[in-house]
C-alpha cells in the first residue's frame, strides 16, 4: 500500500525581533569598556534584554570581549538557545543571563566577570563586600555569595546548566551584585551603562575595601550606612561615567 506523500512541513521559522543598530553598538562598546577597564579579560560577558521582546536577549557569541563586533551579537531565547549564529560556539555560562532575566523582570542588562579584586570577597570566611564610598551605594542593599557546592557538589565552578543558573539567580534575589565563590561575580542593571558601572565600581570598591582593612590592621572600617548608600546611589554617576567611557573607548 502506498503511503500518501507527506505534506511539506509548515514553515516554523520564528520571526525574530528587529534589533536597533544603536543597541548593538552600545553592547559592543560595553564589551570594549569592560575589557579596557579590566573588569573582564579573555573571559566574561555582558548581555542586554531585547527592547522589543522581553523573552529574548542579546549577547556576543563565544569570543573574548575585547574582540566583539556588531556581527558577533547573537539573539537568544530564555532557554539560552541561540536564534541566530546557531552554527557558532556560544558561551558555556550563558545560563547566568537567561535565568536572571526570567527571575528578575526589572533587569535589562547582566555582566558576568572574573575580576581579580572581587575573588577574595567571595572566598574569605566572614568577609562582606560593603560600600566604601559614594560611587558604590548600589552595594548597600547587600552582596550575597553564591556557593555552587550547595546544590551541585564539586564542579569546574562554571554555570553550565539552566539549573545552576537558576540557583545563582535565586541567590542574587533582589540585589544588584552576587559574588561567586572561587569563580567571580555577576551584576545587573536597568540598562547597559548601569550594569557596566556596577561591574567597574564593584571592582574599585573591593580594592579600596582591601586597603582600608589593611590600614585598619584588624580594627574597624567605616562603611556607608544604609541611608547613605541609598541616597548616594540616586545621583548622576552612571550617565557621567558612561559619557567618559564612551569618549574613551568608542574608537578603540
Ligand atoms: Zn565565569
Amino acid at each position: 500500500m502506498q503511503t500518501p506523500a507527506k505534506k511539506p512541513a509548515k514553515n516554523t521559522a520564528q520571526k525574530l525581533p528587529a534589533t536597533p543598530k544603536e543597541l548593538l553598538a552600545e553592547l559592543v562598546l560595553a564589551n570594549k569598556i569592560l575589557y579596557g577597564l579590566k573588569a573582564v579579560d579573555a573571559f566574561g560577558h555582558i548581555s542586554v534584554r531585547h527592547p522589543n521582546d522581553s523573552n529574548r536577549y542579546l549577547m556576543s557569541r563565544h569570543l573574548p570581549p575585547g574582540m566583539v563586533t556588531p556581527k558577533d551579537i547573537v539573539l537568544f531565547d530564555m532557554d539560552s538557545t541561540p536564534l541566530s549564529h546557531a552554527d557558532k560556539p556560544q558561551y558555556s555560562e550563558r545560563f547566568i543571563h537567561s535565568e536572571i532575566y526570567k527571575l528578575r523582570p526589572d533587569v535589562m542588562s547582566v555582566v558576568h566577570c572574573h575580576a581579580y579584586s572581587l575573588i577574595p570577597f567571595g572566598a574569605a570566611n566572614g568577609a562582606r563586600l560593603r560600600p566604601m564610598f559614594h560611587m558604590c551605594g548600589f552595594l548597600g542593599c547587600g552582596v550575597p555569595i553564591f556557593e555552587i557546592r550547595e546544590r551541585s557538589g564539586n564542579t569546574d565552578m562554571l554555570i553550565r546548566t539552566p539549573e545552576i543558573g537558576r540557583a545563582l539567580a535565586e541567590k542574587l534575589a533582589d540585589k544588584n551584585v552576587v559574588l561567586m565563590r572561587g569563580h567571580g561575580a555577576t551584576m545587573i542593571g536597568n540598562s547597559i551603562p548601569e550594569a557596566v558601572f556596577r561591574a567597574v565600581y564593584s571592582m574599585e570598591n573591593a580594592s579600596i575595601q582591601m586597603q582600608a582593612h589593611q590600614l585598619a590592621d584588624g580594627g574597624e572600617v567605616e562603611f556607608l550606612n544604609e541611608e547613605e548608600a541609598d541616597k548616594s546611589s540616586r545621583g548622576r554617576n552612571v550617565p557621567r561615567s558612561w559619557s567618559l567611557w564612551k569618549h574613551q573607548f568608542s574608537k578603540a
Side-chain angles (χ1 to χ4, degrees):
M1 192 178 134
Q2 269 189 328
T3 48
K6 276 186 184 166
K7 283 185 185 171
K10 273 188 183 170
N11 182 4
T12 52
Q14 300 177 60
K15 197 166 181 298
L16 303 181
T19 303
K21 268 190 182 166
E22 303 73 37
L23 187 69
L24 287 183
E26 192 173 60
L27 188 54
V28 170
L29 177 62
N31 275 274
K32 289 189 196 305
I33 292 169
L34 289 168
Y35 175 60
L37 297 179
K38 296 189 168 57
V40 299
D41 47 17
F43 305 92
H45 17 86
I46 175 167
S47 68
V48 63
R49 193 192 289 273
H50 201 288
N52 302 327
D53 185 343
S54 59
N55 288 316
R56 305 276 185 263
Y57 74 95
L58 298 156
M59 184 168 67
S60 169
R61 67 187 174 91
H62 184 266
L63 274 178
M67 295 170 63
V68 172
T69 73
K71 285 183 186 160
D72 303 310
I73 303 299
V74 182
L75 180 69
F76 292 94
D77 68 13
M78 284 299 152
D79 294 325
S80 276
T81 303
L83 303 177
S84 67
H85 303 66
D87 57 329
K88 298 277 199 303
Q90 308 298 340
Y91 293 130
S92 52
E93 295 197 280
R94 58 192 182 278
F95 306 103
I96 292 172
H97 302 261
S98 47
E99 294 304 317
I100 288 177
Y101 288 129
K102 279 197 268 190
L103 215 61
R104 290 278 303 270
D106 60 310
V107 169
M108 292 304 288
S109 183
V110 177
V111 172
H112 170 60
C113 69
H114 306 156
Y116 302 145
S117 61
L118 292 170
I119 304 294
F121 289 90
N125 271 342
R128 285 170 60 204
L129 188 65
R130 296 178 65 186
M132 288 297 310
F133 71 137
H134 66 295
M135 299 295 282
C136 297
F138 62 91
L139 298 173
C141 58
V143 180
I145 299 173
F146 177 65
E147 173 48 82
I148 194 169
R149 278 188 211 139
E150 272 176 20
R151 289 203 211 171
S152 307
N154 294 334
T155 62
D156 66 356
M157 313 306 290
L158 302 188
I159 310 296
R160 291 187 181 277
T161 67
E163 292 71 29
I164 308 178
R166 172 90 188 180
L168 175 69
E170 286 172 357
K171 181 57 80 173
L172 170 71
D174 60 349
K175 308 295 189 285
N176 300 317
V177 179
V178 57
L179 299 176
M180 301 152 81
R181 197 270 307 163
H183 178 178
T186 297
M187 42 288 288
I188 56 88
N190 64 13
S191 65
I192 290 174
E194 187 171 70
V196 170
F197 178 90
R198 287 174 173 173
V200 171
Y201 279 98
S202 293
M203 286 192 318
E204 299 295 350
N205 195 91
S207 302
I208 294 167
Q209 188 175 339
M210 192 68 91
Q211 288 171 18
H213 285 307
Q214 283 169 352
L215 200 61
D217 196 21
E220 288 287 309
V221 169
E222 195 65 39
F223 302 97
L224 267 62
N225 65 30
E226 218 170 293
E227 192 175 347
E228 288 168 338
D230 179 47
K231 285 180 172 168
S232 62
S233 58
R234 290 188 212 153
R236 293 177 290 177
N237 294 342
V238 174
R240 183 149 160 179
S241 302
W242 185 256
S243 66
L244 172 66
W245 295 335
K246 190 173 178 181
H247 172 76
Q248 191 177 354
F249 292 102
S250 36
K251 291 180 196 90

